[in-house]
Amino acid sequence: MDVAQSRKQAAPGASAAFARFVLCGGGVGIASSLAVAGLASWIPWVLANALITGVSTLLATELHARFTFGAGGRATWRQHTQSAGSAAAAYAVTCMAMLALHQLVAAPGAVLEQVVYLSASALAGVARFAVLRLVVFARSRSQVAGAGAGRAARPVPCVSTSAAPAGLCRAA
């Protein structure tokens, strides 16, 4: 139970989690932005964005599980899958923003593209924080919080004595 309590205490509040999310997610996001720009010089931008989004989502989910939300270790496959869903939505937002930019500006420069891409990523990132905190890593927090309490109320087999009927006893 001490392990469960230490993990429960390690889960940060909303403000601390958001600061950690910005640090981890923002760092990965900036590196991704540069990687997309570099890779897009060799392959189509949409493909470059998809590849970098996939790799950065795996990395960011691990960072968020271990550091941002205090989930107590590596991300599970379920968390990776749910995180990928929120990343797919963020990918769609960045693609739509870049498509809109190219519809409005015939030949945007690299700086304007970066500003639009990072702005769209930041907007999607705020929504993604909410999804990760309230959905993806919420179950981990509630399971850790309830881990000790669940054991105390669970019936366990016991030997019949005059004080306890045969069958099940409550754990102490």
Side-chain angles (χ1 to χ4, degrees), residues 3-100:
V3 173
Q5 279 188 326
S6 69
R7 285 185 181 170
K8 179 182 175 188
Q9 292 170 352
S15 297
F18 187 73
R20 292 175 180 185
F21 178 82
V22 169
L23 179 67
C24 292
V28 170
I30 290 171
S32 296
S33 174
L34 296 173
V36 168
L39 193 56
S41 65
W42 294 335
I43 62 176
W45 185 88
V46 173
L47 181 58
N49 190 23
L51 290 172
I52 298 302
T53 297
V55 171
S56 65
T57 299
L58 289 172
L59 174 62
T61 301
E62 283 297 326
L63 288 172
H64 293 322
R66 294 174 189 218
F67 180 67
T68 303
F69 298 108
R74 295 188 58 136
T76 64
W77 282 108
R78 180 191 62 80
Q79 290 167 331
H80 274 292
T81 302
Q82 290 177 328
S83 181
S86 69
Y91 171 77
V93 168
T94 58
C95 284
M96 287 187 301
M98 294 302 287
L99 180 62

Side-chain angles (χ1 to χ4, degrees), residues 129-172:
F129 171 77
V131 169
L132 292 176
R133 180 163 170 83
L134 299 174
V135 177
V136 176
F137 294 103
R139 181 175 288 170
S140 295
R141 286 197 309 274
S142 65
Q143 284 176 342
V144 168
R151 275 184 256 145
R154 187 175 43 211
V156 293
C158 68
V159 178
S160 178
T161 65
S162 60
L168 298 178
C169 299
R170 294 275 177 210

Side-chain angles (χ1 to χ4, degrees), residues 99-127:
L99 180 62
L101 172 65
H102 285 274
Q103 292 295 319
L104 296 172
V105 180
V111 172
L112 181 58
E113 284 184 336
Q114 286 297 303
V115 167
V116 169
Y117 179 82
L118 289 174
S119 297
S121 292
L123 178 65
V126 171

